[in-house]
Amino acid sequence: MATLGFCVLLGFMVYWHLPNLWTDLRTSDWQPAFGLKLDEAKCTRHFFVASTCSIKYSDPVKPEQRQKSLSYLTFGGWGGEQALLVQSASNPDRVSIAIATKALIGRTLAMLVLTIIPLLLLLAVFAKRMLASGDDDAASFVQPNPEPNPARTAEVTRRPTMPPTGNAPPTFGRRTTPVR
């Protein structure tokens, strides 16, 4: 159950944050977006390591369009930083914030570390469970004990036996006294 919840959380994180990162990585001609209105900007820090930041903006020229939102995942935090909207000169539909476009390396590392490490952990748990549940199958790969070596068995049977002493019963084997 925990693994399923972890997969859902990982999928949500990739679905929510990867598209904005991909857009920012492909765009290099950012310019201030003076025509757009920033409605909300907030960052939430998680475990003192990573932060998720989201902004909501709208276009006052086109009030019929709904409010748009962007989300970012980064190491550290952007608390107290100015959220200046920027847009691509070649494609004005691509919108981001200035600090996010400057922190592309940190955002990329955060996405890689916070998705690949949990994915590797999930794979390790899955592999461990597969190996643990496959113990019966693993036993079929073990070869049975080989048949005893006949030459070695013959050596054992030809070994001389000690003559009986005292009240011990006689042993069968090679004769130790000559027959007359």
Side-chain angles (χ1 to χ4, degrees), residues 147-158:
E147 292 295 322
N149 185 351
R152 185 153 171 87
T153 313
E155 281 180 23
V156 171
T157 56
R158 284 187 295 208

Side-chain angles (χ1 to χ4, degrees), residues 94-164:
R94 292 184 181 174
V95 177
S96 188
I97 56 175
I99 191 156
T101 60
K102 292 176 184 171
L104 284 175
I105 293 173
R107 289 175 54 206
T108 304
L109 285 175
M111 182 61 74
L112 288 174
V113 168
L114 296 175
T115 56
I116 289 179
I117 289 176
L119 186 60
L120 290 175
L121 289 173
L122 283 174
L123 288 174
V125 167
F126 180 72
K128 183 178 178 184
R129 287 183 182 243
M130 290 299 292
L131 290 175
S133 68
D135 283 344
D136 296 336
D137 295 336
S140 66
F141 290 113
V142 177
Q143 294 181 357
N145 288 337
E147 292 295 322
N149 185 351
R152 185 153 171 87
T153 313
E155 281 180 23
V156 171
T157 56
R158 284 187 295 208
R159 194 176 324 154
T161 59
M162 297 298 289

Side-chain angles (χ1 to χ4, degrees), residues 6-22 71 73 110-112 114-116 118-119:
F6 200 62
C7 287
V8 169
L9 180 65
L10 184 64
F12 172 75
M13 192 169 63
V14 169
Y15 174 77
W16 195 254
H17 298 291
L18 191 61
N20 292 328
L21 177 62
W22 183 247
S71 62
L73 173 70
M111 182 61 74
L112 288 174
L114 296 175
T115 56
I116 289 179
L119 186 60

Side-chain angles (χ1 to χ4, degrees), residues 13 17 42-46 50-54 71-74 76:
M13 192 169 63
H17 298 291
K42 65 178 179 176
C43 281
T44 305
R45 192 166 218 162
H46 305 280
S51 293
T52 53
C53 299
S54 63
S71 62
Y72 303 98
L73 173 70
T74 185

